[in-house]
């Protein structure tokens, strides 16, 4: 019997209201995600988990695109306290290398280094992956695209995501890009 997995992407303090890289409405998805968690065989949470001085930070040289966020072993990198931690079976940390960022929970952005998530899902007998969390137009999108490219059936539950929308409409474009890659948006 194939199993279903819920991938909960980066529901961390720095992406929530008051955080360093707050995603508008991020706190609104926590209760829905907690409800969803009950319905899956496997719940996997990802953490954006950067070393100090990470290349994606605007303070690094050359400057990256983002304010300092999700620095390892800081409050900002912790999962939001309202998320039901006990329902999580497995954790994946990403963006842990100093010199390359990682929007996807499967690969670094250079598409070379793997996190081991694809292997873990296969070992668990997962064929269909459901993706929720933050941010729709970055880590959710790249995680969903890589999951599909790895051969999994992929559904993104849009109500349980929120977008950064650095440029207005990034959310809509992300959804179109995922649909074009044979990902179901529900
Ligand atoms: C993310 C920007 C930088 C995300 C992570 O989780 O979507 N976005 N690091
Ligand atoms: Zn990051």
């Amino acid at each position: 019997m194939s199993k279903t997995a819920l991938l909960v992407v980066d529901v961390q303090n720095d992406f929530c209201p008051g955080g360093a890289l707050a995603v508008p409405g991020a706190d609104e998805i926590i209760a829905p995600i907690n409800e969803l968690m009950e319905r899956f065989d496997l719940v996997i949470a990802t953490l954006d988990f950067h070393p100090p001085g990470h290349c994606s930070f605007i303070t690094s040289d050359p400057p990256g695109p983002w304010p300092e966020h999700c620095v390892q072993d800081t409050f900002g990198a912790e999962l939001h306290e309202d998320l039901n931690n006990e329902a999580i079976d497995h954790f994946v940390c990403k963006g842990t290398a100093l010199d390359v960022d990682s929007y996807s929970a499967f690969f670094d952005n250079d598409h070379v280094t793997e996190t081991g998530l694809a292997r873990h899902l296969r070992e668990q007998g997962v064929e269909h992956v459901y993706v929720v969390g933050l941010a729709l137009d970055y880590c959710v999108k790249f995680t969903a695209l890589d999951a599909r490219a790895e051969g999994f059936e992929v559904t993104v539950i849009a109500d349980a995501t929120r977008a950064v929308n650095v440029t207005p409409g990034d959310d809509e474009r992300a959804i179109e890009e995922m649909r074009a890659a044979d990902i179901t948006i529900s």
Side-chain angles (χ1 to χ4, degrees), residues 15 21 48 50 54 56-57 66 69-70 94 101-103 139:
F15 295 123
L21 183 35
D48 205 40
H50 301 310
H54 188 251
S56 75
F57 298 166
W66 305 110
H69 64 280
C70 297
K94 61 189 184 55
D101 204 4
S102 180
Y103 292 143
C139 292

Side-chain angles (χ1 to χ4, degrees), residues 114-168:
E114 290 188 53
T115 59
L117 178 56
R119 194 187 53 214
H120 179 76
L121 292 169
R122 286 189 194 106
E123 280 171 2
Q124 296 290 321
V126 172
E127 290 178 8
H128 198 144
V129 170
Y130 293 72
V131 190
V132 297
L134 305 168
L136 173 66
D137 39 356
Y138 288 91
C139 292
V140 168
K141 179 182 87 171
F142 285 101
T143 295
L145 289 172
D146 275 351
R148 189 73 197 99
E150 286 292 311
F152 298 100
E153 294 293 317
V154 182
T155 300
V156 171
I157 305 171
D159 283 352
T161 72
R162 288 292 183 276
V164 186
N165 279 328
V166 171
T167 305

